[in-house]
Coordinates of all heavy atoms in Angstrom, one line a residue:
Chain A
V718 N 155.5 269.3 -41.1 CA 156.5 268.4 -40.7 C 157.5 268.3 -41.8 O 157.3 268.4 -42.9 CB 156.0 266.9 -40.5 CG1 157.0 265.9 -40.1 CG2 154.8 267.0 -39.5
E719 N 158.9 268.3 -41.4 CA 159.9 268.2 -42.4 C 159.8 266.9 -43.2 O 159.5 265.9 -42.6 CB 161.3 268.3 -41.7 CG 161.6 269.6 -41.0 CD 161.8 270.8 -41.9 OE1 162.5 270.5 -43.0 OE2 161.3 271.8 -41.7
P720 N 160.0 267.0 -44.5 CA 159.9 265.7 -45.3 C 160.9 264.7 -44.8 O 162.0 265.0 -44.4 CB 160.2 266.1 -46.7 CG 160.2 267.6 -46.7 CD 160.3 268.1 -45.4
E721 N 160.5 263.4 -44.8 CA 161.4 262.3 -44.4 C 161.6 261.3 -45.5 O 160.9 261.3 -46.5 CB 160.8 261.7 -43.1 CG 160.8 262.6 -41.9 CD 159.5 262.6 -41.1 OE1 158.7 261.6 -41.4 OE2 159.2 263.5 -40.4
D722 N 162.5 260.4 -45.2 CA 162.8 259.3 -46.1 C 161.5 258.4 -46.2 O 160.8 258.2 -45.2 CB 164.0 258.5 -45.7 CG 165.3 259.1 -46.3 OD1 165.2 259.5 -47.5 OD2 166.2 259.4 -45.6
D723 N 161.5 257.7 -47.4 CA 160.3 256.9 -47.6 C 160.3 255.7 -46.6 O 159.2 255.2 -46.3 CB 160.5 256.3 -49.0 CG 160.1 257.4 -50.0 OD1 159.5 258.4 -49.6 OD2 160.4 257.2 -51.2
E724 N 161.4 255.2 -46.2 CA 161.5 254.0 -45.3 C 160.8 254.3 -44.0 O 160.4 253.4 -43.3 CB 162.9 253.5 -45.0 CG 163.8 253.3 -46.2 CD 164.8 254.4 -46.5 OE1 165.7 254.5 -45.8 OE2 164.5 255.1 -47.4
D725 N 160.7 255.6 -43.7 CA 160.2 256.0 -42.3 C 158.7 255.5 -42.2 O 158.3 255.3 -41.1 CB 160.3 257.5 -42.2 CG 161.6 257.9 -42.1 OD1 162.6 257.1 -42.0 OD2 161.8 259.2 -42.2
E726 N 158.1 255.3 -43.3 CA 156.7 254.8 -43.2 C 156.6 253.5 -42.4 O 155.7 253.4 -41.7 CB 156.1 254.6 -44.6 CG 155.6 255.9 -45.2 CD 155.1 255.7 -46.6 OE1 154.1 255.0 -46.8 OE2 155.8 256.0 -47.5
E727 N 157.6 252.7 -42.6 CA 157.6 251.4 -42.0 C 157.8 251.4 -40.5 O 157.1 250.7 -39.8 CB 158.6 250.4 -42.6 CG 158.2 249.9 -43.9 CD 159.2 250.1 -45.0 OE1 160.3 249.9 -44.8 OE2 158.8 250.6 -46.1
D728 N 158.5 252.3 -40.1 CA 158.8 252.3 -38.6 C 158.5 253.6 -37.9 O 159.2 254.5 -38.2 CB 160.3 251.9 -38.4 CG 160.5 251.4 -37.0 OD1 159.8 251.9 -36.0 OD2 161.4 250.6 -36.9
E729 N 157.5 253.5 -37.2 CA 157.1 254.9 -36.5 C 158.2 255.4 -35.5 O 158.5 256.6 -35.5 CB 155.9 254.6 -35.7 CG 154.6 254.3 -36.5 CD 154.0 255.7 -37.1 OE1 154.3 256.7 -36.5 OE2 153.4 255.5 -38.1
E730 N 158.8 254.5 -34.8 CA 159.8 254.9 -33.8 C 161.0 255.5 -34.5 O 161.5 256.6 -34.1 CB 160.2 253.8 -32.9 CG 159.2 253.4 -31.8 CD 159.7 252.3 -30.9 OE1 160.9 252.1 -30.8 OE2 158.8 251.6 -30.4
E731 N 161.4 254.9 -35.6 CA 162.5 255.4 -36.3 C 162.2 256.9 -36.8 O 163.0 257.7 -36.8 CB 162.8 254.5 -37.4 CG 164.3 254.6 -38.0 CD 164.4 253.7 -39.3 OE1 164.0 252.6 -39.3 OE2 165.1 254.2 -40.2
E732 N 161.0 256.9 -37.3 CA 160.6 258.2 -37.8 C 160.8 259.3 -36.7 O 161.3 260.4 -37.1 CB 159.1 258.1 -38.2 CG 158.7 259.4 -38.9 CD 157.2 259.2 -39.4 OE1 156.9 258.2 -39.9 OE2 156.4 260.2 -39.1
E733 N 160.5 259.0 -35.6 CA 160.5 260.1 -34.6 C 162.0 260.4 -34.2 O 162.3 261.6 -34.0 CB 159.8 259.6 -33.3 CG 158.4 259.9 -33.3 CD 157.6 259.4 -32.1 OE1 158.3 259.2 -31.0 OE2 156.4 259.1 -32.2
E734 N 162.7 259.4 -34.2 CA 164.2 259.6 -34.0 C 164.8 260.5 -35.0 O 165.5 261.4 -34.7 CB 165.0 258.3 -33.9 CG 164.8 257.5 -32.6 CD 165.3 256.1 -32.8 OE1 166.2 255.8 -33.5 OE2 164.8 255.2 -32.1
E735 N 164.5 260.1 -36.3 CA 165.1 260.8 -37.4 C 164.5 262.3 -37.4 O 165.2 263.3 -37.9 CB 164.8 260.1 -38.7 CG 165.6 258.9 -38.8 CD 165.8 258.5 -40.2 OE1 165.4 259.2 -41.1 OE2 166.3 257.3 -40.4
D736 N 163.3 262.4 -37.0 CA 162.7 263.8 -36.9 C 163.6 264.6 -36.0 O 163.9 265.7 -36.3 CB 161.3 263.6 -36.2 CG 160.4 264.7 -36.8 OD1 160.7 265.3 -37.8 OD2 159.5 265.0 -36.1
D737 N 163.9 264.1 -34.9 CA 164.8 264.9 -34.0 C 166.2 265.2 -34.7 O 166.7 266.2 -34.6 CB 165.2 264.0 -32.7 CG 163.9 263.9 -31.9 OD1 163.0 264.7 -32.1 OD2 163.8 262.9 -31.1
E738 N 166.7 264.2 -35.5 CA 168.0 264.4 -36.2 C 167.9 265.5 -37.1 O 168.8 266.3 -37.3 CB 168.4 263.1 -36.8 CG 169.1 262.1 -35.8 CD 169.3 260.8 -36.5 OE1 168.3 260.3 -37.2 OE2 170.4 260.3 -36.5
V739 N 166.7 265.6 -37.8 CA 166.6 266.7 -38.8 C 166.7 268.0 -38.1 O 167.3 268.9 -38.6 CB 165.2 266.6 -39.4 CG1 164.9 267.7 -40.3 CG2 165.1 265.3 -40.3
L740 N 166.2 268.1 -36.9 CA 166.2 269.4 -36.3 C 167.6 269.7 -35.7 O 167.9 270.8 -35.5 CB 165.2 269.4 -35.0 CG 163.7 269.2 -35.5 CD1 162.9 269.1 -34.3 CD2 163.3 270.3 -36.3
G741 N 168.3 268.6 -35.4 CA 169.7 268.8 -34.9 C 170.6 269.4 -35.9 O 170.5 269.4 -37.1
D742 N 171.6 270.1 -35.3 CA 172.6 270.8 -36.3 C 173.5 269.8 -36.9 O 173.9 270.0 -38.1 CB 173.4 271.8 -35.4 CG 172.6 273.0 -35.0 OD1 171.7 273.4 -35.8 OD2 172.9 273.5 -33.9
E743 N 173.9 268.7 -36.2 CA 174.8 267.8 -36.7 C 174.0 266.6 -37.4 O 173.2 266.0 -36.8 CB 175.7 267.2 -35.6 CG 176.6 268.2 -35.0 CD 177.7 268.6 -36.0 OE1 178.3 267.7 -36.6 OE2 178.0 269.8 -36.2
R744 N 174.3 266.5 -38.7 CA 173.7 265.4 -39.3 C 174.7 264.5 -40.1 O 175.7 265.1 -40.6 CB 172.6 265.9 -40.3 CG 171.2 266.1 -39.8 CD 170.3 266.6 -40.8 NE 170.6 268.0 -41.0 CZ 169.9 268.7 -41.9 NH1 168.8 268.2 -42.5 NH2 170.2 270.0 -42.0
P745 N 174.4 263.2 -40.1 CA 175.4 262.3 -40.9 C 175.4 262.8 -42.4 O 174.4 263.1 -42.9 CB 174.9 260.9 -40.7 CG 173.8 261.0 -39.7 CD 173.3 262.4 -39.6
A746 N 176.7 262.7 -43.0 CA 176.8 263.2 -44.3 C 175.8 262.4 -45.3 O 175.3 263.1 -46.1 CB 178.3 263.0 -44.8
G747 N 175.7 261.2 -45.1 CA 174.9 260.4 -46.0 C 173.4 260.8 -45.9 O 172.8 261.0 -47.0
Y748 N 173.0 261.1 -44.7 CA 171.6 261.5 -44.6 C 171.3 262.9 -45.3 O 170.3 263.0 -46.0 CB 171.2 261.7 -43.1 CG 169.8 262.0 -42.9 CD1 168.9 261.0 -42.7 CD2 169.4 263.4 -42.9 CE1 167.6 261.4 -42.5 CE2 168.1 263.7 -42.8 CZ 167.2 262.7 -42.5 OH 165.8 263.0 -42.4
R749 N 172.3 263.7 -45.1 CA 172.2 265.0 -45.8 C 171.9 264.9 -47.3 O 171.2 265.6 -47.9 CB 173.3 265.9 -45.5 CG 173.2 267.4 -46.0 CD 174.3 268.2 -45.5 NE 174.0 268.6 -44.1 CZ 174.9 269.1 -43.3 NH1 176.2 269.2 -43.7 NH2 174.6 269.5 -42.1
R750 N 172.8 264.0 -47.9 CA 172.8 263.8 -49.3 C 171.3 263.4 -49.7 O 170.8 264.0 -50.6 CB 173.8 262.8 -49.8 CG 174.5 263.3 -51.0 CD 175.5 262.3 -51.5 NE 176.6 262.1 -50.5 CZ 177.0 260.9 -50.1 NH1 176.4 259.8 -50.6 NH2 177.9 260.8 -49.3
T751 N 170.8 262.3 -49.1 CA 169.5 261.9 -49.4 C 168.5 262.9 -49.3 O 167.6 263.2 -50.1 CB 169.0 260.6 -48.6 OG1 169.2 260.9 -47.3 CG2 169.8 259.4 -49.0
S752 N 168.6 263.7 -48.2 CA 167.7 264.8 -47.9 C 167.8 265.8 -49.0 O 166.7 266.3 -49.4 CB 168.0 265.4 -46.5 OG 167.7 266.7 -46.6
D753 N 169.0 266.1 -49.5 CA 169.0 267.1 -50.6 C 168.3 266.6 -51.8 O 167.7 267.3 -52.5 CB 170.5 267.4 -50.9 CG 171.2 268.3 -49.8 OD1 170.4 268.8 -49.0 OD2 172.4 268.4 -49.8
R754 N 168.6 265.3 -52.1 CA 168.0 264.8 -53.3 C 166.5 264.9 -53.1 O 165.7 265.2 -54.1 CB 168.4 263.3 -53.4 CG 168.5 262.9 -54.9 CD 168.7 261.4 -55.1 NE 169.6 260.9 -54.1 CZ 169.4 259.8 -53.3 NH1 168.2 259.3 -53.4 NH2 170.4 259.4 -52.5
R755 N 166.0 264.5 -52.0 CA 164.5 264.6 -51.8 C 164.0 266.0 -52.0 O 163.0 266.3 -52.6 CB 164.2 264.2 -50.3 CG 164.0 262.7 -50.2 CD 163.5 262.4 -48.8 NE 162.2 263.0 -48.6 CZ 161.1 262.5 -49.0 NH1 161.0 261.4 -49.6 NH2 159.9 263.2 -48.7
H756 N 164.8 267.0 -51.5 CA 164.3 268.4 -51.7 C 164.3 268.8 -53.1 O 163.3 269.5 -53.5 CB 165.3 269.3 -50.9 CG 164.9 269.4 -49.5 ND1 163.7 269.9 -49.1 CD2 165.5 269.1 -48.3 CE1 163.6 269.9 -47.7 NE2 164.7 269.4 -47.3
L757 N 165.2 268.3 -53.9 CA 165.1 268.6 -55.3 C 163.8 268.1 -56.0 O 163.1 268.7 -56.7 CB 166.3 267.9 -56.1 CG 167.6 268.8 -56.1 CD1 168.7 268.0 -56.7 CD2 167.4 270.0 -56.9
R758 N 163.6 266.8 -55.5 CA 162.3 266.2 -56.1 C 161.1 267.0 -55.7 O 160.2 267.3 -56.4 CB 162.2 264.8 -55.6 CG 161.1 264.0 -56.3 CD 161.2 262.5 -55.9 NE 160.8 262.3 -54.5 CZ 159.6 262.1 -54.0 NH1 158.6 262.1 -54.8 NH2 159.4 261.8 -52.7
I759 N 161.2 267.4 -54.4 CA 160.0 268.1 -53.9 C 159.8 269.4 -54.5 O 158.7 269.8 -54.8 CB 160.2 268.2 -52.4 CG1 159.7 266.9 -51.7 CG2 159.3 269.4 -51.8 CD1 160.1 266.7 -50.3
A760 N 160.9 270.1 -54.9 CA 160.8 271.3 -55.5 C 159.9 271.2 -56.8 O 159.1 272.1 -57.1 CB 162.1 271.9 -55.8
S761 N 160.2 270.2 -57.6 CA 159.5 270.0 -58.9 C 158.1 269.6 -58.5 O 157.2 269.8 -59.4 CB 160.2 269.0 -59.8 OG 160.1 267.7 -59.1
D762 N 157.8 268.9 -57.5 CA 156.5 268.4 -57.2 C 155.7 269.4 -56.3 O 154.5 269.0 -56.0 CB 156.5 267.0 -56.5 CG 157.0 266.0 -57.5 OD1 157.0 266.3 -58.7 OD2 157.4 264.9 -57.1
L763 N 156.3 270.4 -55.9 CA 155.7 271.2 -54.9 C 154.3 271.7 -55.2 O 153.5 271.6 -54.3 CB 156.6 272.4 -54.6 CG 156.5 273.0 -53.2 CD1 156.9 272.0 -52.2 CD2 157.2 274.4 -53.1
S764 N 154.1 272.0 -56.4 CA 152.8 272.5 -56.7 C 151.8 271.5 -56.7 O 150.6 271.6 -56.3 CB 152.8 273.2 -58.1 OG 153.2 272.3 -59.1
V765 N 152.1 270.2 -57.0 CA 151.3 269.0 -57.0 C 150.9 268.8 -55.5 O 149.8 268.6 -55.2 CB 151.9 267.8 -57.6 CG1 150.9 266.6 -57.5 CG2 152.4 268.1 -59.0
I766 N 152.0 268.8 -54.7 CA 151.7 268.5 -53.3 C 150.9 269.6 -52.6 O 150.0 269.3 -51.8 CB 153.1 268.4 -52.5 CG1 153.9 267.3 -53.1 CG2 152.9 268.2 -51.0 CD1 155.3 267.1 -52.6
E767 N 151.1 270.8 -53.1 CA 150.3 272.0 -52.5 C 148.9 271.7 -52.8 O 148.0 271.9 -52.0 CB 150.9 273.3 -53.1 CG 150.1 274.5 -52.6 CD 150.5 274.9 -51.2 OE1 151.7 274.8 -50.9 OE2 149.6 275.3 -50.5
G768 N 148.6 271.3 -54.0 CA 147.2 271.0 -54.5 C 146.6 269.9 -53.6 O 145.5 270.0 -53.2
S769 N 147.5 268.9 -53.5 CA 147.0 267.7 -52.7 C 146.7 268.1 -51.3 O 145.7 267.7 -50.6 CB 148.0 266.7 -52.7 OG 148.1 266.0 -54.0
A770 N 147.6 269.0 -50.7 CA 147.4 269.4 -49.3 C 146.2 270.2 -49.2 O 145.4 270.0 -48.2 CB 148.6 270.3 -49.0
E771 N 145.8 271.0 -50.2 CA 144.6 271.8 -50.1 C 143.4 270.9 -50.1 O 142.4 271.0 -49.4 CB 144.5 272.8 -51.2 CG 145.5 273.9 -50.9 CD 145.5 275.0 -52.1 OE1 144.5 275.1 -52.8 OE2 146.4 275.8 -52.1
L772 N 143.5 269.9 -51.0 CA 142.4 268.9 -51.1 C 142.2 268.1 -49.8 O 141.1 268.0 -49.3 CB 142.7 268.0 -52.3 CG 141.7 266.8 -52.5 CD1 140.3 267.2 -52.8 CD2 142.1 265.8 -53.6
L773 N 143.3 267.7 -49.3 CA 143.3 266.9 -48.0 C 142.8 267.7 -46.9 O 141.9 267.3 -46.1 CB 144.7 266.3 -47.8 CG 144.9 265.5 -46.4 CD1 143.9 264.3 -46.5 CD2 146.3 265.1 -46.2
Y774 N 143.3 269.0 -46.8 CA 142.8 269.9 -45.7 C 141.2 270.1 -45.9 O 140.6 270.1 -44.9 CB 143.5 271.2 -45.8 CG 143.1 272.1 -44.7 CD1 143.7 271.9 -43.4 CD2 142.2 273.1 -44.8 CE1 143.3 272.6 -42.3 CE2 141.8 273.9 -43.8 CZ 142.4 273.7 -42.5 OH 142.0 274.5 -41.4
G775 N 140.8 270.3 -47.1 CA 139.4 270.5 -47.3 C 138.6 269.3 -46.9 O 137.5 269.4 -46.2
L776 N 139.1 268.1 -47.2 CA 138.3 266.9 -46.8 C 138.4 266.7 -45.3 O 137.4 266.2 -44.6 CB 138.9 265.7 -47.5 CG 138.6 265.7 -49.0 CD1 139.4 264.6 -49.7 CD2 137.1 265.6 -49.4
I777 N 139.5 267.0 -44.7 CA 139.6 266.9 -43.2 C 138.6 268.0 -42.6 O 137.9 267.7 -41.6 CB 141.0 267.1 -42.7 CG1 141.9 266.0 -43.2 CG2 141.1 267.1 -41.2 CD1 143.4 266.2 -43.0
H778 N 138.6 269.1 -43.2 CA 137.8 270.3 -42.7 C 136.3 269.8 -42.7 O 135.6 270.2 -41.8 CB 138.0 271.4 -43.6 CG 137.4 272.7 -43.1 ND1 136.2 273.1 -43.6 CD2 137.7 273.6 -42.2 CE1 135.7 274.2 -43.1 NE2 136.7 274.6 -42.2
Q779 N 135.9 269.2 -43.8 CA 134.5 268.7 -43.9 C 134.2 267.9 -42.7 O 133.1 268.0 -42.2 CB 134.3 267.9 -45.2 CG 132.9 267.4 -45.4 CD 132.9 266.1 -46.3 OE1 132.7 265.1 -45.9 NE2 133.0 266.5 -47.6
R780 N 135.0 267.0 -42.2 CA 134.8 266.2 -41.1 C 135.0 266.9 -39.8 O 134.2 266.8 -38.9 CB 135.8 265.0 -41.0 CG 135.6 264.1 -42.2 CD 136.7 263.1 -42.2 NE 136.5 262.2 -43.4 CZ 137.1 261.0 -43.6 NH1 138.0 260.6 -42.7 NH2 136.9 260.3 -44.7
Y781 N 135.9 267.8 -39.7 CA 136.2 268.5 -38.5 C 135.0 269.4 -38.0 O 134.7 269.4 -36.9 CB 137.5 269.5 -38.7 CG 137.8 270.3 -37.5 CD1 138.3 269.7 -36.4 CD2 137.8 271.7 -37.6 CE1 138.7 270.5 -35.3 CE2 138.1 272.5 -36.5 CZ 138.5 271.9 -35.4 OH 138.9 272.7 -34.3
I782 N 134.4 270.1 -39.0 CA 133.4 271.1 -38.6 C 132.1 270.4 -38.2 O 131.1 271.0 -37.7 CB 133.0 272.1 -39.7 CG1 132.7 271.4 -41.0 CG2 134.2 273.1 -39.9 CD1 132.3 272.4 -42.1
T783 N 132.0 269.0 -38.4 CA 130.9 268.3 -37.7 C 131.3 267.7 -36.4 O 130.4 267.1 -35.8 CB 130.3 267.2 -38.7 OG1 131.4 266.3 -39.0 CG2 129.8 267.8 -40.0
S784 N 132.6 267.9 -36.0 CA 133.0 267.3 -34.7 C 132.7 268.5 -33.6 O 132.5 269.6 -33.9 CB 134.5 267.1 -34.7 OG 135.3 268.3 -34.7
R785 N 132.8 268.1 -32.4 CA 132.5 269.0 -31.2 C 133.3 270.3 -31.3 O 132.8 271.3 -31.3 CB 132.6 268.2 -30.0 CG 132.1 269.1 -28.8 CD 132.3 268.3 -27.5 NE 131.3 267.3 -27.2 CZ 130.2 267.5 -26.4 NH1 130.0 268.7 -25.9 NH2 129.4 266.6 -26.2
P786 N 134.7 270.1 -31.3 CA 135.5 271.3 -31.3 C 135.3 272.1 -32.7 O 135.3 273.4 -32.6 CB 137.0 270.9 -31.2 CG 136.9 269.4 -31.6 CD 135.6 268.9 -31.3
G787 N 135.2 271.4 -33.7 CA 135.0 272.1 -35.0 C 133.7 272.9 -35.0 O 133.7 274.1 -35.5
I788 N 132.6 272.3 -34.7 CA 131.4 273.0 -34.7 C 131.3 274.2 -33.8 O 130.7 275.3 -34.1 CB 130.2 272.0 -34.5 CG1 128.9 272.4 -35.3 CG2 129.8 271.9 -33.0 CD1 127.9 271.4 -35.5
Q789 N 132.0 274.0 -32.7 CA 132.1 275.2 -31.7 C 132.9 276.4 -32.4 O 132.5 277.5 -32.3 CB 132.9 274.6 -30.5 CG 132.8 275.6 -29.3 CD 131.4 275.6 -28.8 OE1 130.8 274.6 -28.6 NE2 130.8 276.8 -28.6

Side-chain angles (χ1 to χ4, degrees):
Chain A
V718 181
E719 296 289 319
E721 291 134 16
D722 274 313
D723 289 343
E724 304 105 71
D725 293 348
E726 273 177 77
E727 278 126 47
D728 199 327
E729 291 282 336
E730 280 182 28
E731 199 187 320
E732 186 178 313
E733 277 179 26
E734 279 167 33
E735 290 198 10
D736 208 23
D737 294 338
E738 279 174 311
V739 173
L740 298 175
D742 290 326
E743 292 291 314
R744 269 179 287 181
Y748 185 91
R749 182 170 285 158
R750 220 181 299 129
T751 49
S752 149
D753 285 350
R754 214 188 316 128
R755 275 187 59 84
H756 275 297
L757 272 174
R758 185 171 71 87
I759 278 165
S761 64
D762 291 345
L763 202 65
S764 60
V765 181
I766 298 173
E767 182 72 40
S769 288
E771 287 180 16
L772 174 64
L773 179 61
Y774 184 80
L776 292 172
I777 297 171
H778 185 264
Q779 183 202 101
R780 297 175 178 193
Y781 176 69
I782 55 175
T783 58
S784 74
R785 189 186 277 266
I788 212 163
Q789 197 64 50

